[in-house]
């Protein structure tokens, strides 16, 4: 396996000597379980507490050796050798490792099974795991992904995957670099790899055959953002976060006696491990909780677990003792659904939350402005379901009129009354981290409030600058377009950076604002061109949905149109749309940021 330190060296060498395999230069191990622990000398792990382990995924994801003579020493050495921050023992003989802890803390008394190899130590319990933490890992900032640095384009492993943990909770259809990095950061993984435009992988080690290749091999745009690349066919865009790596990576070895000491004082001249105290306080919460306990760790210059001779002539082994306070932070994250209403290949952007009539109407506007993007992107015949989405938006306006104001005026109440047609909401995830508590200061703490720098994204209105053509003789009016497929909405730009760069208008042809085209106030690419683009989009949807539906007489002859007559109507409306919007004058619309929506 490769950790960050050895991988950096390996990458440079492999770039110069691309004809030599990684396994020929460096002792690379696969992500599967090695035959035995690999570290003989390392900073002892600290006891973190007793944790629940009763579901899938496991509290610690990586399965270590199951040993009828299991000890804490053997398990933590195994996990250290595989570059994991946490080691866990369960049911007396099971060993697990992980980059993060995926469950909440339990009552300390629940971890009550002695280790099969040392009955003076505790190795978890039934559905309970005793967890130890490597203190050489820095405290990571879970609020940012900016610490990930791109290493380049790399080939997949020659045997199995380069990175072991695929992140299936990240939708492949909306994959972006940011989403993948966020998932790996939440899991505590130092390496992130994105492949085939839609696949996200994480890991703490790299598999055999992971070699740097030319960047042209990572040429697939991300499904969720075509301006980014997400690997290629059999190649990864690889990233690494230094703040998730140990400052003292294992340098090798075949066995270990290093372990953790959790007693309040350090008196032994060798490394050892004792039972965790039963007086540790425990807090668990569905939101966020913090538990602190005091522990001490001892690192010996010897690797023996036997007691030194009692002879007075024996030179005692030098030891150092360090007392540290550990804090446990448990966070439950309820994922925000990214697809509230689904039609074929298209997903709506979730409605904003609301609690009164004004914000309810804003949610309705947010819904209706997305209808055009549904017809454009769902794909036929699923795009026929966009009519149902449009009706669902109308039902939101009915809800605003009937239930707001009122005690039931809320997004949840609206969705309960008018359920959207979308995928089920992903289950909440629980993440627990253990870290050294901040050192107390002599000065009394003061509380300060920092203003948030988050820019609120305005909700676009459905008041279109472009005009629907009116020609009843050709089968359409200003309020009734062909096939009931409206013009996409051209209105104010709700992306701040784009607006400030001189593009005050945006044509909402995608459910995601960042993917919608923006336009300046004047010139050849101004509002008139924007409305021509809107006419083009309407014409495309008219042909691909309405005219296509008329091919099947049993599906759509409600207007008496055949495919040919429907196609002609779409074309006539398209020509008239160009004429109607040949000289668009938006006036004072969108004159300043987040104003002039009308």
């Amino acid at each position: 396996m490769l950790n960050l330190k050895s991988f950096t060296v390996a990458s440079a060498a492999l770039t110069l000597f691309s004809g030599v395999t990684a396994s020929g230069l460096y002792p690379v191990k696969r992500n599967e379980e090695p035959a035995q622990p690999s570290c003989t000398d390392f900073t002892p792990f600290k006891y973190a507490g007793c944790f629940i382990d009763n579901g899938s995924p496991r509290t610690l994801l990586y399965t270590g050796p199951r040993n009828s003579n299991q000890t804490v020493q053997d398990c933590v050495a195994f996990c250290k050798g595989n570059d994991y921050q946490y080691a866990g023992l369960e049911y007396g003989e099971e060993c697990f490792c992980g980059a993060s802890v995926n469950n909440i803390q339990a009552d300390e008394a629940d971890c009550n099974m002695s280790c099969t190899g040392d009955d003076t130590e505790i190795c978890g319990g039934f559905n309970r795991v005793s967890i130890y933490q490597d203190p050489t890992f820095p405290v990571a900032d879970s609020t940012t992904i900016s610490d990930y640095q791109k290493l380049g384009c790399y080939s997949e492993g020659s045997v199995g995957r380069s990175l072991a943990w695929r992140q299936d909770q990240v939708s492949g259809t909306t994959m972006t670099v940011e989403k993948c990095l966020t998932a790996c950061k939440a899991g505590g993984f130092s390496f992130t790899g994105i492949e085939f435009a839609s696949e996200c992988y994480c890991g703490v080690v790299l598999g055999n055959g992971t070699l740097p290749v030319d960047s042209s091999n990572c040429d697939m745009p991300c499904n969720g953002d075509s301006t980014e690349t997400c690997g290629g066919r059999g190649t990864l865009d690889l990233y690494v976060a230094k703040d998730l790596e140990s400052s003292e990576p294992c340098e090798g070895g075949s066995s270990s006696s290093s372990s953790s000491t959790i007693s309040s004082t350090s008196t032994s001249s060798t490394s050892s491990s004792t039972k965790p105290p039963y007086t540790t306080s425990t807090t668990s919460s569905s939101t966020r909780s913090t538990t602190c306990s005091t522990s001490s760790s001892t690192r010996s210059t010897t690797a023996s677990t036997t007691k030194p001779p009692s002879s007075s002539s024996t030179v005692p082994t030098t030891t150092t003792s360090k007392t540290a306070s550990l804090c446990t932070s448990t966070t439950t994250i309820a994922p925000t659904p990214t697809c509230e209403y689904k039609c074929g290949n298209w997903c709506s952007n979730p409605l904003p939350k609301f609690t009164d009539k004004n914000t309810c109407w804003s949610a309705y506007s947010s819904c209706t402005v997305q209808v055009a993007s549904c017809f454009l992107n769902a794909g036929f015949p699923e795009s026929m379901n966009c009519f149902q989405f449009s009706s669902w938006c109308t039902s939101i306006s009915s809800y605003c009129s009937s239930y707001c104001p009122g005690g039931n005026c809320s997004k949840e109440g609206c969705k309960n009354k008018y359920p959207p047609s979308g995928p089920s909401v992903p289950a909440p995830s629980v993440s627990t981290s253990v870290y050294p508590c901040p050192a107390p200061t002599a000065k009394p703490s003061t509380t300060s409030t920092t203003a948030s720098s988050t820019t609120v994204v305005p909700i676009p209105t459905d008041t279109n600058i472009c005009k629907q053509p009116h020609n009843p003789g050709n089968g359409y009016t200003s309020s009734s377009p062909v096939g009931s497929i409206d013009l996409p909405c051209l209105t104010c730009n709700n992306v701040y950076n784009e607006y400030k760069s001189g593009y005050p208008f945006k044509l909402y042809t995608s459910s995601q604002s960042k993917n919608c085209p923006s336009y300046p106030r004047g010139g050849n690419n101004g509002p008139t061109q924007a409305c021509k683009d809107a006419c083009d989009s309407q014409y495309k949807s008219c042909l691909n949905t309405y005219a296509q539906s008329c091919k099947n007489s049993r599906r759509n002859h409600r207007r008496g149109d055949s495919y040919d007559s429907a196609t002609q109507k779409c074309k006539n409306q398209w020509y008239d749309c160009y004429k109607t919007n040949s000289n668009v004058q938006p006036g004072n619309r969108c004159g300043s940021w987040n104003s002039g929506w009308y």
Side-chain angles (χ1 to χ4, degrees):
M1 96 196 84
L2 291 175
N3 53 38
L4 176 59
K5 179 180 179 182
S6 60
F7 180 72
T8 304
V9 177
S11 297
L14 288 170
T15 302
L16 295 174
F17 306 102
S18 58
V20 184
T21 64
S23 58
L25 286 173
Y26 303 98
V28 182
K29 291 184 179 180
R30 282 297 303 139
N31 293 317
E32 287 80 15
E33 172 188 323
Q36 56 185 349
S38 59
C39 264
T40 57
D41 183 28
F42 57 91
T43 300
F45 279 39
K46 295 179 179 179
Y47 180 69
C50 180
F51 287 77
I52 295 173
D53 185 20
N54 60 353
S56 179
R58 304 298 298 257
T59 300
L60 298 177
L61 296 179
Y62 191 92
T63 302
R66 186 168 185 163
N67 189 350
S68 59
N69 292 307
Q70 189 70 267
T71 65
V72 173
Q73 295 97 313
D74 288 340
C75 183
V76 297
F78 172 86
C79 294
K80 179 65 178 181
N82 286 274
D83 292 324
Y84 283 101
Q85 184 175 3
Y86 299 98
L89 299 104
E90 185 169 351
Y91 211 66
E93 60 182 20
E94 298 175 351
C95 175
F96 298 93
C97 312
S100 62
V101 181
N102 301 311
N103 218 319
I104 60 176
Q105 200 162 356
D107 191 291
E108 196 62 40
D110 290 353
C111 287
N112 53 17
M113 291 188 177
S114 299
C115 300
T116 53
D118 187 344
D119 60 8
T120 67
E121 297 177 333
I122 291 295
C123 285
F126 180 73
N127 287 341
R128 297 294 185 268
V129 56
S130 300
I131 292 182
Y132 294 79
Q133 182 198 19
D134 185 346
T136 67
F137 280 78
V139 179
D141 182 357
S142 61
T143 64
T144 181
I145 58 172
S146 61
D147 47 355
Y148 279 98
Q149 302 297 318
K150 188 172 183 178
L151 294 176
C153 184
Y154 283 75
S155 65
E156 264 289 7
S158 57
V159 180
R161 292 284 182 184
S162 293
L163 299 173
W165 306 107
R166 178 165 176 168
Q167 305 300 299
D168 288 327
Q169 79 278 15
V170 183
S171 172
T173 59
T174 59
M175 181 64 66
T176 65
V177 173
E178 180 183 4
K179 289 181 179 179
C180 186
L181 293 179
T182 300
C184 292
K185 188 62 179 284
F189 295 105
S190 52
F191 285 106
T192 298
I194 316 172
E195 182 175 355
F196 207 65
S198 61
E199 299 174 3
C200 176
Y201 297 91
C202 311
V204 295
V205 292
L206 294 168
N208 277 331
T210 303
L211 302 173
V213 296
D214 191 270
S215 60
S216 62
N217 291 283
C218 291
D219 59 352
M220 299 187 73
C222 301
N223 283 346
D225 188 346
S226 60
T227 65
E228 300 176 333
T229 59
C230 284
R233 293 171 176 82
T235 56
L236 296 158
D237 273 318
L238 195 62
Y239 296 79
V240 67
K242 294 182 179 180
D243 69 338
L244 297 179
E245 281 284 335
S246 169
S247 61
E248 300 176 14
C250 179
E251 298 299 334
S254 60
S255 63
S256 174
S257 299
S258 296
S259 62
S260 300
T261 302
I262 55 173
S263 58
S264 58
T265 59
S266 177
T267 57
S268 172
S269 61
T270 62
S271 296
S272 64
S273 177
T274 63
K275 291 184 179 181
Y278 292 113
T279 57
T280 303
S281 60
T282 302
T283 303
S284 62
S285 171
S286 60
T287 53
R288 185 178 181 91
S289 63
T290 302
T291 302
C292 292
S293 60
T294 301
S295 64
S296 65
S297 60
T298 304
R299 182 170 185 177
S300 172
T301 58
T302 69
S304 172
T305 57
T306 58
K307 295 181 179 180
S310 58
S311 170
S312 59
S313 62
T314 301
V315 178
T317 303
T318 303
T319 64
T320 60
S321 177
K322 180 181 180 180
T323 300
S325 186
L326 294 180
C327 285
T328 301
S329 176
T330 301
T331 304
T332 300
I333 302 174
T336 301
T338 57
C339 183
E340 193 165 61
Y341 201 109
K342 183 173 177 63
C343 296
N345 299 325
W346 176 85
C347 279
S348 72
N349 196 33
L351 298 179
K353 291 185 177 182
F354 58 86
T355 55
D356 54 38
K357 186 180 288 287
N358 287 337
T359 52
C360 184
W361 282 114
S362 294
Y364 163 70
S365 179
S366 172
C367 188
T368 56
V369 82
Q370 298 182 66
V371 173
S373 69
C374 180
F375 284 111
L376 279 170
N377 301 293
F380 188 81
E382 287 81 2
S383 58
M384 293 295 294
N385 295 326
C386 296
F387 292 110
Q388 297 177 14
F389 173 68
S390 180
S391 297
W392 183 67
C393 293
T394 302
S395 68
I396 296 173
S397 67
S398 299
Y399 181 88
C400 296
S401 299
S402 302
Y403 294 92
C404 298
N408 294 324
C409 180
S410 66
K411 176 181 175 179
E412 291 72 22
C414 182
K415 290 175 66 175
N416 288 336
K417 188 169 182 61
Y418 304 106
S421 173
S424 58
V425 178
S429 61
V430 179
S431 177
T432 303
S433 60
V434 184
Y435 56 92
C437 295
T441 58
K443 297 181 179 179
S445 60
T446 59
T447 302
S448 61
T449 302
T450 303
S452 174
S453 60
T454 302
T455 300
V456 177
V457 178
I459 302 169
T461 65
D462 58 350
T463 51
N464 204 339
I465 294 174
C466 305
K467 295 181 180 180
Q468 163 67 27
H470 182 80
N471 194 331
N474 282 342
Y476 45 88
T477 68
S478 58
S479 60
S480 180
V482 177
S484 299
I485 298 175
D486 291 316
L487 268 175
C489 185
L490 177 70
T491 185
C492 303
N493 195 334
N494 71 338
V495 178
Y496 181 78
N497 291 338
E498 294 178 6
Y499 185 94
K500 289 299 183 182
S501 297
Y503 294 87
F505 304 113
K506 182 176 282 289
L507 181 63
Y508 290 89
T509 52
S510 170
S511 58
Q512 301 296 323
S513 293
K514 66 178 182 179
N515 297 330
C516 298
S518 302
Y519 301 86
R521 183 167 294 278
N524 295 332
N525 294 319
T528 297
Q529 181 59 51
C531 287
K532 288 181 178 180
D533 292 343
C535 297
D536 293 343
S537 295
Q538 184 189 42
Y539 177 58
K540 178 181 177 181
S541 297
C542 188
L543 289 179
N544 292 343
T545 297
Y546 179 64
Q548 283 292 329
S549 71
C550 291
K551 280 185 175 181
N552 188 337
S553 60
R554 290 175 297 178
R555 170 175 290 173
N556 195 339
H557 264 298
R558 55 183 177 174
R559 293 175 175 82
D561 282 326
S562 65
Y563 174 74
D564 290 339
S565 63
T567 299
Q568 190 59 50
K569 282 186 178 181
C570 294
K571 186 174 293 186
N572 291 339
Q573 179 180 249
W574 181 39
Y575 291 156
D576 279 348
C577 187
Y578 265 47
K579 293 177 183 177
T580 303
N581 295 282
S582 61
N583 186 24
V584 179
Q585 298 295 330
N588 293 325
R589 289 285 297 270
C590 315
S592 59
W593 168 247
N594 196 18
S595 67
W597 295 88
Y598 294 6

